[in-house]
Amino acid sequence: MTKQLRIALAGNANVGKSAIFNQLTGLNQVVGNWPGKTVERAEGTLHYKGFTIHIIDLPGTYSLSAFSLEEIVTRDYIAIEKPDLIINVVDASALERNLYLTLQLLELEAPMIVALNQIDLAAKKGVKINTEKLSDALGIPVVPTVAITGSGINELLSKVIAVINGEEKINPLKVHYGSEVEERISKLQNLIEEKIPQICQVYPSRWIAIKLLERDEDVTGKLKNYKQGKKVIKEAEKLATELEEIHGEASPVVIASERYAIASKIAKEATIIETPPKISIEQKLDAITTHNILGYPILVVIILSIFTLIFIGGASLSEILDSFLRTLSTYIETLLLNYMPSGIAELINNGLIGGLIAGITIALPYVVPF
Ligand SMILES: Nc1nc2c(ncn2[C@@H]2O[C@H](COP(=O)(O)OP(=O)(O)OP(=O)(O)O)[C@@H](O)[C@H]2O)c(=O)[nH]1
Ligand SMILES: [Mg+2]
């Protein structure tokens, strides 16, 4: 019998989750809605190395707070349905922003690997990610991919199986906040484990504690269903207020800023900014002369310069030629007078040679510079 696996794709909006999903599942897809929600749910199946893998394409989210349906659908699927593995699709060209969600997925304590997607777009921006460093910092495998070409997809699948089979060990990063926050998380965590152990079967107790300090209405609502829930909520309220008094900011803001700082540090350490490829002089000139607005005045200036050059250059050349040819004409006239009557010599000289000189001195000097 083939072994069944459930894998969920999670990540920010527009990072390429569906592109990876399509690469993995091909036409084996079913698209519908999440039960009772207007959020799209896409599922697909693939067979790989003796596994039947069910893949679910989770909605795009920037956070796992309870601000939108997408966020609640994503976190509840991960916590309640407990897929065997999460593939967190990360946009390599916006690492810091994407890692903010990665840290929250890690806080849900689900086994996870990262598909570092859109590395082609990152490279175009001159950004390269040191996948090894990123993987070390997060404690989970990171596989570079370009979903639209299928590059890295096989490696991603191999990594999924390696983690599932235990051949590749993961040691997910524990997100640590400042001491004031940590103290209160652990107080609350102990209280939750003591008072509502049932809920800890679904959500990690540390995650509930963090969410309560973030004043998450969805989690608060869930706790109200338990007998001892109100006691925990009251304590959480007290601890969140203390945090606010220490930091002078709303408790959710304190936690979000600390999380951002961690995401930013990891992103900076793993990012290699490469100087963008050198642009040649020809490319620069081409860019300026074909510019939508600048191109027109540049064209006018160039045409005017050409005309000025032709007229100034032509006029000087015309003067030089004229004086040379007139001297020549006088010489020819003297020469002709030796052989023919003066009337005919004058006619030839003024009519024929004079005409030729006029033609040459007026037209030629302007044609040559042109
Ligand atoms: N250049 C490049 N484009 C990509 C890559 N992956 C996805 N895209 C493009 O990025 C856009 C978004 O991709 P999707 O797969 O729809 O992203 P998503 O994460 O499913 O987005 P949501 O469903 O809105 O959350 C599409 O135009 C893709 O063709 C990649 O690796 N490189
Ligand atoms: Mg999608």
Side-chain angles (χ1 to χ4, degrees):
M1 213 183 84
T2 60
K3 290 167 266 181
Q4 308 280 319
L5 276 187
R6 283 178 311 127
I7 309 276
L9 293 165
N12 284 187
N14 234 23
V15 293
K17 293 181 300 299
S18 298
I20 290 186
F21 176 74
N22 290 336
Q23 289 282 355
L24 291 172
T25 60
L27 293 173
N28 288 323
Q29 301 181 4
V30 183
V31 180
N33 268 9
W34 288 85
K37 307 258 165 56
T38 51
V39 180
E40 192 183 272
R41 177 185 172 119
E43 278 176 277
T45 313
L46 87 129
H47 302 278
Y48 185 79
K49 288 193 179 164
F51 285 92
T52 297
I53 309 178
H54 303 282
I55 301 192
I56 191 141
D57 187 10
L58 291 170
T61 56
Y62 292 101
S63 164
L64 289 184
S65 37
F67 294 130
S68 69
L69 266 183
E70 284 80 0
E71 292 176 344
I72 294 179
V73 161
T74 299
R75 70 188 202 180
D76 275 355
Y77 178 82
I78 294 171
I80 298 167
E81 304 289 328
K82 303 207 185 303
D84 297 295
L85 191 76
I86 311 284
I87 298 178
N88 173 208
V89 184
V90 163
D91 175 0
S93 68
L95 189 60
E96 185 176 326
R97 190 193 68 206
N98 278 249
L99 287 182
Y100 184 69
L101 177 71
T102 306
L103 295 182
Q104 292 177 80
L105 289 167
L106 288 173
E107 285 180 331
L108 268 176
E109 296 174 20
M112 187 163 93
I113 68 171
V114 165
L116 186 66
N117 195 40
Q118 305 199 341
I119 49 166
D120 55 332
L121 291 182
K124 275 190 194 151
K125 290 187 191 171
V127 173
K128 203 170 168 257
I129 310 294
N130 184 333
T131 43
E132 226 167 275
K133 253 193 181 167
L134 183 60
S135 169
D136 285 349
L138 297 173
I140 53 176
V142 174
V143 182
T145 57
V146 179
I148 46 166
T149 62
S151 159
I153 299 296
N154 273 331
E155 289 80 354
L156 188 64
L157 263 179
S158 305
K159 206 55 103 177
V160 166
I161 302 302
V163 172
I164 294 288
N165 282 340
E167 291 151 16
E168 174 119 6
K169 296 270 175 283
I170 59 171
N171 182 20
L173 167 77
K174 300 256 181 307
V175 181
H176 278 292
Y177 297 88
S179 56
E180 291 100 359
V181 178
E182 279 299 333
E183 260 170 44
R184 284 160 185 86
I185 291 174
S186 65
K187 260 190 201 167
L188 210 45
Q189 192 180 350
N190 290 339
L191 192 68
I192 295 161
E193 284 169 8
E194 184 198 320
K195 303 285 180 199
I196 332 173
Q198 314 90 300
I199 203 170
C200 304
Q201 305 292 315
V202 183
Y203 302 95
S205 54
R206 181 177 164 88
W207 184 81
I208 302 173
I210 295 169
K211 288 293 137 195
L212 288 178
L213 290 176
E214 284 185 296
R215 297 218 163 86
D216 186 295
E217 283 177 11
D218 184 63
V219 170
T220 312
K222 283 189 170 97
L223 255 63
K224 280 182 184 154
N225 297 329
Y226 296 88
K227 219 172 112 208
Q228 302 270 31
K230 287 207 180 84
K231 206 174 242 174
V232 175
I233 294 168
K234 211 169 153 213
E235 178 66 11
E237 185 49 46
K238 188 187 127 231
L239 293 170
T241 311
E242 282 175 16
L243 264 186
E244 281 160 1
E245 277 161 9
I246 298 170
H247 288 272
E249 270 179 317
S251 179
V253 176
V254 174
I255 293 175
S257 339
E258 292 195 12
R259 205 183 274 135
Y260 261 121
I262 299 167
S264 171
K265 185 169 178 280
I266 296 175
K268 283 206 175 78
E269 283 173 3
T271 302
I272 306 156
I273 304 283
E274 290 183 330
T275 40
K278 276 216 164 116
I279 304 167
S280 68
I281 294 174
E282 285 91 342
Q283 283 171 316
K284 276 185 196 162
L285 274 178
D286 187 60
I288 296 172
T289 50
T290 55
H291 188 270
N292 282 353
I293 300 161
L294 274 179
Y296 293 103
I298 288 173
L299 180 72
V300 171
V301 169
I302 289 174
I303 290 177
L304 285 177
S305 312
I306 290 173
F307 280 128
T308 312
L309 191 76
I310 288 171
F311 285 112
I312 294 175
S316 320
L317 206 60
S318 172
E319 257 174 47
I320 296 166
L321 263 178
D322 190 58
S323 95
F324 170 72
L325 291 173
R326 290 218 179 275
T327 316
L328 191 69
S329 151
T330 321
Y331 176 74
I332 291 172
E333 196 181 353
T334 323
L335 204 69
L336 289 175
L337 280 173
N338 290 337
Y339 300 98
M340 53 191 78
S342 67
I344 299 176
E346 220 169 273
L347 186 74
I348 295 176
N349 195 35
N350 288 348
L352 196 67
I353 298 179
L356 254 172
I357 290 175
I360 291 171
T361 54
I362 291 169
L364 197 64
Y366 297 98
V367 173
V368 171
F370 194 76

